[in-house]
Amino acid sequence: MSDGPVGHRERLVYETAQQLRRAGVTATGLRHVVAEAGAPRGSLQHYFPGGKDQLVAEALEWSGSWAAERVVRHLSGMRRPSPSRLFTAMLDDWAAELHARDFERGCPVAGAVVDCADTNPAVRQAASAALETWRRPITEALVTMGRTRRRAETLSTLMLCALEGALVLARAQHDTAPLRLVARELAPLLDA
């Protein structure tokens, strides 16, 4: 997750997503986000009059869009796309990211959901929308690979569930083995 933002507003959203990946919503400090973004002090109130909830919601929206773009990028680079190859490419992305950052950052959407989905409806809705944004191109890809729409929707949900669970285990174990395991074990089901 390193496609760098340009302006102050974009950097604030990006840095918020990075903080969510590390620590969830509650531990995402706005002063730290402003400092990391190199933004002026008053920029939060200027760009995000809805406060932290608005900033977190936009960071989750950015995260979903970023993940969806990665799916499209993986597909465009495949000579012979298949569901298992797409899933493996997604998992390989995360494995590389975990290694590069010493397992300190997971999925910002998962971090937000675990932290406060039960207490903050705005965050829960933003997280749900981000996951749907991510799932949509996976579903469409599976349809173009010959799956029925219903089956594609089921498989894309399964893929995200397996990926998110494997990310949690990988971070807890400081090992990408769970990512490789779900790729290997789900391949026959995805390609059936």
Side-chain angles (χ1 to χ4, degrees), residues 37-106:
R41 281 184 147 181
S43 57
L44 282 178
Q45 294 82 5
H46 175 72
Y47 293 120
F48 306 98
K52 187 174 182 178
D53 282 352
Q54 180 186 355
L55 180 58
V56 167
E58 290 192 32
L60 293 174
E61 179 183 346
W62 176 87
S63 300
S65 295
W66 183 90
E69 289 170 13
R70 292 298 303 165
V71 170
V72 172
R73 193 177 304 170
H74 288 311
L75 286 167
S76 69
M78 288 183 192
R79 287 181 16 191
R80 290 181 306 158
S82 73
S84 66
R85 284 189 188 108
L86 173 59
F87 188 52
T88 298
M90 292 166 58
L91 293 167
D92 287 348
D93 248 6
W94 278 103
E97 177 72 13
L98 290 171
H99 279 298
R101 302 205 185 258
D102 197 31
F103 295 84
E104 78 169 10
R105 298 181 193 183

